[in-house]
Amino acid sequence: MLIAHLPAGYILGRMACRKGAVMGTVLAASMLPDLDMFWFHLVDGGSLHHHRYFPHVPGFWVMVAVVVLPLITMFKRQWLLSACLAFAALFLHLLLDTLVGGIMWFWPFDDTLIRLAIVSPTHSHWILSFMAHWSFAVEVMICITGLFLLFCKKFKT
């Protein structure tokens, strides 16, 4: 996914009928896995596919959730809905990346990147190849849906 993670997070937040800080949490969580791009570009020099870093590994987020959710339940129960929606947004990001990016869904047992389709290098730049692929139409539809929900008064929460 190139452009649809934030709009998908917005759609999730709107479906949960949340505003304010909860929506902000959902939006931040919908982008969180891609923070690994800083490491990818600034430190690693692109030597390893960024979907192999821990922010893109579902098993890592399951382990975090197993620790964080019970703690929130015990000490800050009022944050539980926000935390659950944040984890939902994280997993939505990973699900969307499964379309063509590849995610290690079976880690730690298998480190294969699972993807539904492969974007062939059909153009001079990888971004152009992604934009020419059918999966980009899915991203555009997600963005249009998010914009519709944002601007359509009838669906305001």
Side-chain angles (χ1 to χ4, degrees):
M1 289 273 136
L2 294 176
I3 61 172
H5 290 304
L6 192 63
Y10 179 75
I11 294 166
L12 175 66
R14 283 293 301 272
M15 286 174 55
C17 297
R18 301 293 161 210
K19 306 182 220 184
V22 176
M23 178 61 90
T25 301
V26 171
L27 292 175
S30 72
M31 298 296 294
L32 185 60
D34 280 338
L35 286 179
D36 63 13
M37 292 299 286
F38 290 108
W39 184 269
F40 177 76
H41 287 293
L42 300 175
V43 177
D44 192 33
S47 67
L48 184 68
H49 190 304
H50 81 105
H51 287 189
R52 293 196 175 278
Y53 300 140
F54 71 90
H56 273 93
V57 178
F60 167 76
W61 293 112
V62 167
M63 291 186 294
V64 170
V66 164
V67 172
V68 168
L69 292 176
L71 289 172
I72 288 174
T73 302
M74 288 188 300
F75 299 109
K76 286 287 188 181
R77 192 161 186 84
Q78 67 271 24
W79 293 357
L80 188 58
L81 179 61
S82 292
C84 288
L85 287 172
F87 283 112
L90 283 163
F91 278 90
L92 177 59
H93 181 115
L94 300 176
L95 195 64
L96 291 171
D97 275 351
T98 302
L99 187 59
V100 293
I103 295 295
M104 293 188 295
W105 284 103
F106 300 113
W107 179 90
F109 309 106
D110 184 359
D111 65 354
T112 302
L113 290 171
I114 307 296
R115 64 178 55 89
L116 298 177
I118 295 175
V119 177
S120 300
T122 56
H123 291 77
S124 60
H125 194 276
W126 69 268
I127 292 178
L128 295 175
S129 296
F130 266 84
M131 291 176 69
H133 193 263
W134 62 264
S135 63
F136 194 70
V138 174
E139 293 197 59
V140 170
M141 288 189 294
I142 291 169
C143 292
I144 289 170
T145 302
L147 286 170
F148 176 78
L149 290 174
L150 180 63
F151 292 113
C152 184
K153 301 288 185 211
K154 182 178 178 182
F155 293 99
K156 288 278 184 193
T157 55

